[in-house]
Amino acid sequence: MADLIAQGNEPQHRWRRPLVSGEWLLLGRGVGSLSVPWDKKVSRQHAEVRLVEKVLEVRRLPSARNAITVRGLESNLFSLRPGEHFVIGETTFTLADESYELAPEPPAPIEQRSYAYQEIQSARYRDADHRIDVLSRLPNLISGADDDQELFVRLVNMLLAGIPRADGIALVSVEHESSDRPSVEVLHWDRRRPNQAGGFRPSSQLILESMKRKQSVSCIWNGAGDLEQSPDFTMTGGVDWAYCTPVVGEMAGGWGIYAFGRFDFRVGEWAHPSSESPDLLADLKFTELVASILAALRQVRRLQRKQAVFSQFFSPVVIDRLADDDPEIVLAPRQVEVSVLFCDLRGFSRESERNSHDLLGLLERVSKALRVMTYQIMGHGGVIGDFQGDAAMGFWGWPIDQGDSAKRACLAALEIRTQFEANAARKGHPLANFRMGIGIASGVAVAGKIGTIDQVKVSVFGPVVNLASRLEGMTKFLHAPILIDETTARLARQQVSPDQGRFRRLAVIKPYGLETPHEVTELLPPLNDRPELTDEHIRSYESALDSLQRGQWSESLSYLSRVPPEDQVKDFLTVFIAQHGRIPPEGWDGVIPLHQKN
């Protein structure tokens, strides 16, 4: 496979990228993989390139500001063969057709050794300022890579800039390290002098030894005075030394950094070629530092990805606990005080009939409606406990005692109501013709990881869950969008200010199939959001309820007449009184039984 190599004026202004045969690619200052952001003389989209049978076709785009020079002449359309290059601005682009072949049994080195951590750390850096500058780019280099292949390219470029004595760098990987037959793969490699004779033959023995020991290992094939040795004696022609440094970490994937080069006695570098050379130790120290930073940043990136996945299921409060504590302890079921919210979508059956020809579109609308519910539940610190068709359940008070669970649940419910009512009449909106019913109950429950050996989910279990579900169902009979139980009402009245929400006691009801009656309260928006139902109207209704419970039904009807006729909630009491001929039944205790399940 042929590669295109870009090299600017600075060592770090470089990349080597593989080309896919037959595919046109954009080249410019900001066009993805073939981007050269360091050269202002290169237009944002300057040229198109395509590899056809190891020949690179290049055509300059009309929008390009500057010329392309090839073989000393300006040209808008030309072809390159391996080893040839063209120039745009201050950047040279070279077509390289270099293969690599792992050398399983290279010639025996003159010297091979591994290095203890303390030995390398005691080495003194050469060109410390330059290396620190290179290292400072590593976090952005990793975070800016869209995928692993882009990361490999950037990492090799950075290492070439930071290890000037290396002729080339390879990022390698070992699979099945613990098996009898581990395999070595070159993830990406590059060298300063492309198309160098002899190719690239990394030593698999050196790589495997480094990975096995989890230490840096070096090999020297050529010693002082042996510069004229034949290429057959060295690993490749023009390569005298190599070392491999493992990237140790859970997310490293068996990675290693492989550096190789030759001695240059003319400039006094590596004047005494040896595994203990100060230059070699300085390069190894830099490489190990890069490896350790890479491992740490990869781990951070893994945690960020896990957090992104968790955020689909857990609220930030749960994710924070999972990050700080043992997940098994955090998610273990335990008895806690919770507030549970059930939210059901109204109008789904009718919309199903209308949109039977477009079920996928209907599913998308339902998904967006559920998104409104889950966004508000999680936005107010709640946990999504379950989905049941077109309904969602959330709860508060776990994994930490929030102290204001009832308030959080009420505020989430009011926001959900606001979103639905604001968009229900908007034609074409995903929430058009949809309404909602919400029930909230507070009490003791078991929360945490609940399920079987085969399948578990984070949820909540107990009578309070059933009560919240029953309250949600009662919204259909009482014509109230949000109903809460007595415990939630008592707590929320202390925590929710009038400019956030209001409360109206509706009735004491015994749900069908249950023996315990419950005082049901309506949660209402603040007066500014629903001015048609004033606080005086609410007091009139509650006075009607008190009269009803005392058996003074005529007085109750008088109070109900003061509530606006548009308020459908009062119809529940009005109809109940009418059904009994305005006379309390014998043994009346103020409890209204429901004779059918929600």
Side-chain angles (χ1 to χ4, degrees):
M1 180 183 293
D3 297 332
L4 184 63
I5 301 173
Q7 180 64 68
N9 284 338
E10 301 294 330
Q12 67 270 19
H13 295 161
R14 174 188 178 88
W15 47 249
R16 177 193 190 112
R17 301 189 184 277
L19 299 173
V20 178
S21 183
E23 180 181 350
W24 282 103
L25 298 173
L26 281 171
L27 184 151
R29 202 171 69 250
V31 288
S33 62
L34 301 187
S35 175
V36 284
W38 59 79
D39 196 335
K40 294 182 179 180
K41 295 182 180 179
V42 177
S43 299
R44 192 178 69 85
Q45 295 185 2
H46 204 108
E48 288 182 317
V49 299
R50 179 176 66 173
L51 184 69
V52 180
E53 296 182 354
K54 297 186 178 182
V55 174
L56 186 68
E57 299 176 356
V58 182
R59 59 190 185 196
R60 178 176 174 267
L61 296 175
S63 59
R65 299 190 310 272
N66 294 315
I68 303 177
T69 303
V70 59
R71 303 180 189 96
L73 300 174
E74 293 184 2
S75 179
N76 293 329
L77 181 65
F78 56 90
S79 297
L80 289 184
R81 295 192 175 277
E84 295 183 320
H85 67 271
F86 62 92
V87 178
I88 304 176
E90 298 176 346
T91 303
T92 300
F93 300 87
T94 304
L95 181 64
D97 183 20
E98 300 174 289
S99 61
Y100 73 85
E101 178 185 358
L102 288 165
E105 297 183 5
I110 295 175
E111 187 178 0
Q112 174 176 318
R113 64 163 299 185
S114 60
Y115 300 84
Y117 175 81
Q118 295 80 0
E119 181 180 6
I120 292 179
Q121 292 307 303
S122 63
R124 294 178 61 85
Y125 271 135
R126 305 295 178 95
D127 304 322
D129 291 344
H130 171 69
R131 295 190 198 256
I132 290 173
D133 179 62
V134 172
L135 279 175
S136 67
R137 306 179 203 137
L138 186 55
N140 289 335
L141 177 150
I142 294 176
S143 62
D146 294 331
D147 52 36
D148 280 348
Q149 187 56 49
E150 178 64 18
L151 172 64
F152 301 154
V153 172
R154 295 182 176 202
L155 186 62
V156 167
N157 293 343
M158 192 208 77
L159 287 163
L160 279 172
I163 310 175
R165 277 173 286 272
D167 286 342
I169 300 289
L171 189 63
V172 298
S173 173
V174 174
E175 296 184 0
H176 313 295
E177 288 183 66
S178 58
S179 67
D180 294 333
R181 301 182 64 182
S183 59
V184 177
E185 178 186 2
V186 176
L187 303 173
H188 184 69
W189 72 284
D190 197 4
R191 63 177 9 154
R192 299 186 194 282
R193 297 185 292 273
N195 299 303
Q196 182 177 336
F200 172 46
R201 300 185 65 213
S203 168
S204 59
Q205 284 188 359
L206 170 58
I207 296 168
L208 292 173
E209 183 69 16
S210 174
M211 296 299 184
K212 178 182 177 181
R213 292 177 175 270
K214 302 210 180 295
Q215 291 180 324
S216 293
V217 176
S218 70
C219 284
I220 294 177
W221 284 276
N222 199 358
D226 293 328
L227 296 180
E228 302 303 323
Q229 267 184 5
S230 68
D232 293 336
F233 186 78
T234 58
M235 188 175 56
T236 69
V239 174
D240 300 327
W241 60 267
Y243 65 76
C244 183
T245 298
V247 180
V248 180
E250 184 179 353
M251 285 300 295
W255 293 356
I257 298 171
Y258 188 94
F260 59 94
R262 63 175 302 155
F263 306 126
D264 189 349
F265 299 102
R266 292 170 299 176
V267 296
E269 294 182 339
W270 290 54
H272 304 286
S274 161
S275 60
E276 298 181 2
S277 163
D279 294 318
L280 173 60
L281 291 175
D283 289 343
L284 278 169
K285 184 175 182 178
F286 174 79
T287 307
E288 288 209 347
L289 183 56
V290 171
S292 63
I293 295 175
L294 174 63
L297 292 175
R298 290 284 292 180
Q299 181 68 13
V300 170
R301 193 172 183 181
R302 174 175 178 265
L303 292 174
Q304 290 173 337
R305 288 175 177 173
K306 288 178 67 176
Q307 187 175 28
V309 173
F310 284 155
S311 66
Q312 301 178 52
F313 304 94
F314 302 138
S315 66
V317 65
V318 179
I319 295 175
D320 290 344
R321 282 296 304 275
L322 290 173
D324 294 338
D325 300 319
D326 184 349
E328 290 298 322
I329 297 176
V330 173
L331 300 179
R334 65 181 185 276
Q335 188 169 293
V336 290
E337 293 278 349
V338 296
S339 291
V340 181
L341 178 151
F342 266 90
C343 185
D344 185 43
L345 191 64
R346 303 279 193 262
F348 175 72
S349 298
R350 182 175 61 254
E351 289 299 301
S352 295
E353 293 180 1
R354 292 178 178 175
N355 297 275
S356 59
H357 62 286
D358 184 19
L359 293 180
L360 287 177
L362 178 61
L363 176 61
E364 183 178 356
R365 290 184 60 202
V366 172
S367 297
K368 290 182 177 179
L370 290 172
R371 171 62 177 159
V372 172
M373 304 176 194
T374 58
Y375 180 81
Q376 294 301 335
I377 291 170
M378 297 175 69
H380 287 84
V383 179
I384 303 299
D386 201 3
F387 290 103
Q388 297 178 1
D390 56 354
M393 184 267 280
F395 61 97
W396 289 258
W398 178 95
I400 61 173
D401 180 6
Q402 293 162 306
D404 59 351
S405 297
K407 173 183 178 180
R408 292 172 180 268
C410 289
L411 294 182
L414 288 169
E415 288 290 346
I416 293 171
R417 173 176 175 169
T418 298
Q419 289 291 319
F420 273 83
E421 290 184 347
N423 297 295
R426 294 177 59 187
K427 187 176 180 180
H429 192 277
L431 299 184
N433 301 318
F434 282 147
R435 294 172 290 106
M436 36 59 63
I438 297 177
I440 303 173
S442 300
V444 177
V446 173
K449 190 168 61 175
I450 297 173
T452 66
I453 296 177
D454 301 316
Q455 186 174 13
V456 297
K457 60 183 178 181
V458 170
S459 192
V460 63
F461 170 81
V464 68
V465 180
N466 185 44
L467 178 57
S469 177
R470 290 298 186 96
L471 288 168
E472 175 271 310
M474 289 183 203
T475 60
K476 303 173 186 176
F477 303 124
L478 275 70
H479 305 291
I482 307 173
L483 295 179
I484 62 179
D485 74 332
E486 188 173 0
T487 302
T488 304
R490 174 174 51 82
L491 295 170
R493 285 179 188 274
Q494 302 169 6
Q495 301 169 346
V496 177
S497 62
D499 62 343
Q500 292 176 312
R502 297 178 294 168
F503 304 89
R504 172 167 60 167
R505 292 185 297 112
L506 296 188
V508 177
I509 295 175
K510 186 171 74 171
Y512 177 81
L514 298 183
E515 295 298 325
T516 304
H518 296 275
E519 184 177 77
V520 178
T521 296
E522 181 184 13
L523 174 64
L524 289 159
L527 180 61
N528 287 340
D529 293 344
R530 196 181 177 190
E532 67 273 14
L533 189 68
T534 66
D535 293 344
E536 182 61 32
H537 294 149
I538 294 174
R539 284 191 290 269
S540 294
Y541 182 96
E542 291 186 338
S543 295
L545 175 61
D546 293 336
S547 297
L548 176 82
Q549 291 176 324
R550 291 194 302 265
Q552 299 171 347
W553 285 18
S554 295
E555 183 178 272
S556 177
L557 287 172
S558 176
Y559 279 118
L560 287 174
S561 66
R562 303 174 191 177
V563 181
E566 296 80 14
D567 179 45
Q568 295 183 358
V569 173
K570 78 170 189 176
D571 295 343
F572 178 73
L573 292 188
T574 304
V575 170
F576 176 75
I577 293 173
Q579 287 174 340
H580 290 81
R582 302 190 177 193
I583 300 174
E586 186 177 352
W588 169 246
D589 59 0
V591 177
I592 301 176
L594 293 182
H595 298 293
Q596 60 180 347
K597 195 171 182 179
N598 299 339

